[in-house]
């Protein structure tokens, strides 16, 4: 079982999928709230990140999806609710493409169904070169200030420190592989009309990376969706405003008709 994961609590499974350049530890403030609400929480470290050491040269979203599918097979889980933030959302849309029957619910946080523009792809390749030369420091110095809102950056030094530790803990090879994989990802827009269950959208009001247009786009494409804007949060809404995030997530989980 190459993918490492946490498996906490009892109840209907909820799978939390992390963002770039972090690992499953980014869900620390979310896990106790969800398991306390009566759900089993599965938190993988995507290939190359955290404790999942093995990754290919290009970590495509399809590869992440296959590994998550193997993890669920290994656990004997035939259906779950999935929640992904940013890159976690891209990976979950890739999983939905190959295994839609696994999905009883979907929470898309600060993410998009669009493919990268040429400009974004170019920026990712430039970033892999910088990581090659300067290591994770380039992400801590240049990306981290954009991952959170200005108020979080100024007023929550503990979180900023924790994030910089988490970023520094990810191997440079895995970071570059994921950047290449994200650059290659196809648009998932074609899938949206096939989603026949309610989808929850959670976006930070000051997300500088994904932006509010992505949430509006999802609302246009998906038959049934509900948007929560987390005030005061940037891209990492679950870490910046955990109370607001958790109550919105639990509200959605509890609203789904689940046959255990
Ligand atoms: C993330 O938070 O996972 C990244 O911002 C995703 C991306 O670079 O597109």
């Amino acid at each position: 079982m190459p993918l490492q994961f946490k498996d906490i609590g009892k109840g209907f499974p909820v799978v939390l999928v992390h963002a770039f350049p972090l690992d499953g530890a980014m869900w620390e403030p979310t896990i106790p709230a969800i398991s306390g609400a009566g759900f089993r929480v599965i938190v993988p470290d995507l290939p190359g990140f955290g404790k999942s050491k093995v990754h290919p040269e290009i970590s495509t979203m399809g590869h992440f999806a296959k590994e998550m599918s193997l993890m669920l097979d290994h656990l004997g889980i035939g259906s779950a609710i999935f929640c992904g933030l940013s890159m976690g959302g891209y990976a979950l849309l890739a999983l939905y493409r190959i295994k839609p029957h696994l999905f009883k619910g979907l929470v898309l946080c600060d993410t998009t169904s669009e493919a990268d523009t040429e400009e974004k792809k170019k920026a990712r390749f430039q970033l892999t070169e910088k990581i090659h030369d300067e290591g994770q420091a380039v992400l801590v110095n240049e990306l981290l200030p954009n991952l959170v809102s200005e108020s979080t950056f100024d007023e929550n030094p503990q979180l900023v420190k924790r994030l910089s530790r988490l970023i520094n803990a990810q191997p440079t090879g895995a970071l570059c592989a994921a950047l290449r994989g994200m650059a290659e990802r196809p648009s998932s827009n074609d899938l949206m009309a096939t989603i026949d269950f309610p989808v929850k959208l959670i976006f930070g009001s000051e997300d500088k990376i994904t932006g509010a247009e992505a949430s509006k786009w999802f609302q246009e494409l998906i038959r049934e969706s509900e948007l929560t804007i987390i005030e005061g949060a940037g891209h990492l809404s679950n870490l910046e405003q955990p109370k607001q995030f958790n109550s919105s997530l639990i509200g959605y989980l509890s609203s789904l008709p689940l046959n255990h």
Side-chain angles (χ1 to χ4, degrees):
M1 170 92 269
L3 209 57
Q4 301 296 305
F5 57 89
K6 288 198 178 92
D7 183 357
I8 294 140
K10 286 197 167 56
F12 195 81
V14 178
V15 182
L16 303 176
V17 188
H18 66 82
F20 174 91
L22 307 173
D23 63 31
M26 69 160 270
W27 295 110
E28 262 164 30
T30 318
I31 296 167
I34 306 304
S35 63
F39 293 88
R40 175 180 177 187
V41 193
I42 316 282
V43 187
D45 286 338
L46 290 172
F49 292 87
K51 296 195 169 70
S52 297
K53 301 292 179 206
V54 182
H55 67 86
E57 183 64 19
I58 304 180
S59 291
T60 61
M61 299 306 106
H63 176 70
F64 286 167
K66 274 188 208 135
E67 292 298 315
M68 287 193 285
S69 168
L70 286 174
M71 173 191 78
L72 293 170
D73 283 350
H74 167 83
L75 290 168
I77 291 176
S79 60
I81 305 165
F82 295 88
C83 170
L85 197 144
S86 201
M87 182 178 77
Y90 311 156
L92 284 179
L93 293 175
L95 179 63
Y96 179 78
R97 185 177 291 287
I98 56 168
K99 296 270 171 91
H101 57 274
L102 290 174
F103 287 69
K104 283 280 180 269
L106 175 61
V107 187
L108 295 169
C109 315
D110 304 282
T111 191
T112 175
S113 55
E114 301 271 33
D116 275 357
T117 58
E118 286 309 314
E119 198 186 345
K120 182 96 200 211
K121 282 186 198 177
K122 208 168 136 204
R124 291 203 198 274
F125 292 123
Q126 283 167 350
L127 190 53
T128 60
E129 282 166 28
K130 281 186 168 184
I131 293 174
H132 189 263
D133 295 339
E134 300 168 38
Q136 298 90 338
V138 63
L139 296 175
V140 173
N141 297 333
E142 293 178 21
L143 180 66
L144 172 49
N146 290 320
L147 287 177
V148 294
S149 69
E150 269 168 42
S151 52
T152 301
F153 196 75
D154 293 340
E155 292 159 23
N156 195 345
Q158 260 184 332
L159 175 59
V160 173
K161 217 187 263 172
R162 202 160 130 233
L163 286 169
S164 99
R165 270 204 307 270
L166 258 186
I167 294 172
N168 276 314
Q170 309 310 322
T172 53
L175 294 166
C176 292
L179 283 167
R180 291 186 201 103
M182 285 193 280
E184 263 195 16
R185 77 186 193 283
S187 162
S188 300
N189 289 338
D190 60 309
L191 298 175
M192 297 300 130
T194 70
I195 301 178
D196 60 1
F197 49 81
V199 172
K200 180 76 193 174
L201 306 168
I202 306 182
F203 279 67
S205 64
E206 292 166 49
D207 185 343
K208 287 173 259 176
I209 294 188
T210 312
E213 327 71 68
S215 64
K216 300 216 174 71
W217 186 232
F218 278 131
Q219 285 190 299
E220 271 175 40
L221 294 179
I222 298 171
R223 212 170 308 154
E224 202 183 330
S225 68
E226 188 193 72
L227 171 66
T228 296
I229 299 284
I230 307 283
E231 293 301 328
H235 191 56
L236 299 178
S237 48
N238 80 304
L239 286 159
E240 298 182 64
Q241 297 294 337
K243 270 196 196 145
Q244 284 185 58
F245 183 93
N246 292 344
S247 91
S248 170
L249 179 53
I250 291 168
Y252 170 71
L253 299 177
S254 312
S255 73
L256 292 170
L258 302 171
N259 305 315
H260 289 245

